[in-house]
Amino acid sequence: VIIDKNNSVKSVEDGLTKANSDVMIRYVFDMEIGANVGKNSKKGPRGYMRLNTAKNRLKQIFKWLQKRGINDATNATSKQIMDIFRDVREGDIKTIKGKKYSGRSSTDYAEVFSSFWHWWIRVNRKDRKDIYDITEDLNKQKEESKFVWIIKEDLEKILPYFSEDEQVILMFVFDSLIRAPTELMSLKVKDIFQRE
């Protein structure tokens, strides 16, 4: 990204119109330093992982809008946004692999767009411009968690089907409540200690 002396973005994000690219990059830069965040939001800069996720989701939403002839997301209407997210939920808009977005994914996208739009409202308020909240009717409610758990008695019933090493790992994961495989694989010897 190249920014000139007037703080204008000179390069365009791949696949986006100049207007969409500019506003997305401006949003990400503001979130990186913690500028124009909501009054109920945590103050301060956002982490790079969160910024990257928000950027990628926002870019995808802007591409969906562009396919419908909306080349500047800041000019989108409430109906246009509602139509996009209805099509995501119902499977008319599919993932890159051609599959339907999960309910959780569509909610995550809606939350990212809502955060972007509320940022846009705050930025314009500083310039004394009123922007209508086109996201107030978006469904941002998370679907019920599909977390699966096991009780100790059930774990003890299946342990004999595993090798001795696997049993140790299973009992450790159960007792420590860490997630396998991600947290388990990143565990180091220095992370293990005995409480006194």
Side-chain angles (χ1 to χ4, degrees):
V1 176
I2 302 164
I3 301 176
D4 69 13
K5 62 184 176 185
N6 299 321
N7 267 350
S8 298
V9 178
K10 286 296 191 186
S11 66
V12 177
E13 186 69 31
D14 187 39
L16 295 183
T17 62
K18 176 106 172 75
N20 283 337
S21 178
D22 287 355
V23 76
M24 182 185 74
I25 292 169
R26 190 172 161 200
Y27 169 72
V28 171
F29 281 170
D30 269 8
M31 293 303 103
E32 183 180 25
I33 62 171
N36 298 308
V37 296
K39 61 183 174 188
N40 297 328
S41 298
K42 182 186 110 177
K43 300 301 179 199
R46 302 307 186 244
Y48 289 111
M49 192 168 185
R50 183 169 175 193
L51 289 171
N52 200 38
T53 300
K55 179 185 128 316
N56 289 335
R57 287 185 178 148
L58 204 53
K59 183 177 178 179
Q60 186 59 56
I61 295 165
F62 288 175
K63 285 182 176 181
W64 294 334
L65 288 167
Q66 287 174 191
K67 282 185 179 174
R68 296 177 184 208
I70 305 153
N71 292 322
D72 184 348
T74 63
N75 292 329
T77 65
S78 181
K79 168 118 176 54
Q80 290 166 328
I81 293 301
M82 295 293 290
D83 287 347
I84 288 278
F85 286 103
R86 179 203 58 223
D87 291 349
V88 171
R89 265 191 327 276
E90 293 180 3
D92 295 330
I93 294 177
K94 298 191 180 339
T95 67
I96 293 170
K97 294 180 179 178
K99 296 183 179 179
K100 181 180 175 181
Y101 281 93
S102 71
R104 186 175 179 91
S105 282
S106 63
T107 303
D108 290 342
Y109 277 90
E111 281 182 349
V112 165
F113 187 80
S114 182
S115 294
F116 160 76
W117 195 260
H118 289 118
W119 165 84
W120 182 241
I121 290 171
R122 285 187 297 280
V123 165
N124 279 278
R125 191 178 299 137
K126 288 181 177 179
D127 293 334
R128 301 195 186 287
K129 294 179 191 167
D130 286 333
I131 301 292
Y132 174 72
D133 185 2
I134 64 173
T135 67
E136 63 188 0
D137 292 327
L138 276 182
N139 179 9
K140 294 171 280 214
Q141 200 160 11
K142 299 270 187 196
E143 64 182 27
E144 196 172 310
S145 173
K146 293 179 179 158
F147 178 72
V148 178
W149 67 90
I150 189 169
I151 59 174
K152 188 171 184 183
E153 289 77 20
D154 290 339
L155 179 62
E156 288 170 348
K157 287 178 190 172
I158 65 169
L159 280 177
Y161 295 98
F162 294 92
S163 70
E164 195 173 306
D165 287 344
E166 291 168 334
Q167 288 180 29
V168 170
I169 291 170
L170 287 169
M171 289 303 293
F172 176 74
V173 168
F174 181 83
D175 286 341
S176 63
L177 296 175
I178 67 170
R179 290 175 283 201
T182 51
E183 290 178 359
L184 180 63
M185 289 173 55
S186 64
L187 193 64
K188 295 178 175 53
V189 173
K190 68 178 181 164
D191 298 327
I192 302 172
F193 60 91
Q194 183 175 352
R195 286 193 185 153
E196 295 179 20

